[in-house]
């Protein structure tokens, strides 16, 4: 099981007791937000790196369009992956093995910190 699977199931278990019908949607949204913020951080890093190396790869409009398409793809990939039979099987494995102990507020703060790092890196280039 990957780190993203563990984070998804932690969110799913936390919100299942509070908002049972929306738990899957909240966990899918969080996982997509985290993955897209990591992707944005990598994109800004490589854009700055290529700019310093004087490599012209693509325009910023094309890069933002590509980023938007990849975020939509990530959301649908997560939605398909975690809304069916696979989620139930992985959830049973998580519950059988151990209970996940993460602070939910720190996990919500993680994408914000990544976006802050992205902003700092963007300003540095």
């Amino acid at each position: 099981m990957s780190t993203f699977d563990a984070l998804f199931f932690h969110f799913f278990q936390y919100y299942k007791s509070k908002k049972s019908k929306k738990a899957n949607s909240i966990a899918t949204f969080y996982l997509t937000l985290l993955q897209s913020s990591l992707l944005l951080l990598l994109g800004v890093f490589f854009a700055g790196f290529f700019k310093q190396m004087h490599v012209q790869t693509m325009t910023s409009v094309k890069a933002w369009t590509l980023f938007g398409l990849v975020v939509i793809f990530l959301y649908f990939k997560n939605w398909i992956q975690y809304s069916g039979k696979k989620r139930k099987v992985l959830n049973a494995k998580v519950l059988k093995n151990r209970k996940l102990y993460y602070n939910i507020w720190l996990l919500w703060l993680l994408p914000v910190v990544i976006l802050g790092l992205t902003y700092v890196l963007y300003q540095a280039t």
Side-chain angles (χ1 to χ4, degrees), residues 48-59:
F49 176 74
F50 289 145
K51 185 177 179 182
Q52 287 184 356
M53 297 298 287
H54 303 292
V55 176
Q56 302 256 335
T57 54
M58 69 173 65
T59 65

Side-chain angles (χ1 to χ4, degrees), residues 28-38 78 108 111-112 115:
T28 303
F29 171 76
Y30 172 77
L31 193 62
T32 304
L33 178 67
L34 181 65
Q35 288 174 342
S36 62
S37 62
L38 286 171
N78 291 333
W108 273 113
V112 174
L115 290 173

Side-chain angles (χ1 to χ4, degrees), residues 44 118-125:
V44 167
T118 303
Y119 179 73
V120 168
L121 190 61
Y122 180 73
Q123 292 298 321
T125 57

Side-chain angles (χ1 to χ4, degrees), residues 42-124:
L42 280 171
V44 167
F45 173 76
F46 282 117
F49 176 74
F50 289 145
K51 185 177 179 182
Q52 287 184 356
M53 297 298 287
H54 303 292
V55 176
Q56 302 256 335
T57 54
M58 69 173 65
T59 65
S60 68
V61 174
K62 289 181 182 178
W64 282 111
T65 304
L66 182 64
F67 175 73
L69 291 173
V70 170
V71 168
I72 291 169
F73 172 76
L74 281 174
Y75 179 77
F76 283 116
K77 179 193 75 80
N78 291 333
W79 177 61
I80 289 171
Q81 184 175 3
Y82 295 116
S83 65
K85 189 175 182 181
K86 183 177 180 182
R87 182 197 59 155
K88 292 178 183 177
V89 170
L90 287 174
N91 195 17
K93 287 181 183 179
V94 167
L95 291 177
K96 188 173 109 174
N97 290 338
R98 67 186 182 337
K99 185 82 172 164
L100 299 172
Y101 296 105
Y102 297 119
N103 188 349
I104 199 75
W105 296 109
L106 288 177
L107 289 179
W108 273 113
L109 192 62
L110 186 61
V112 174
V113 169
I114 292 171
L115 290 173
L117 285 172
T118 303
Y119 179 73
V120 168
L121 190 61
Y122 180 73
Q123 292 298 321

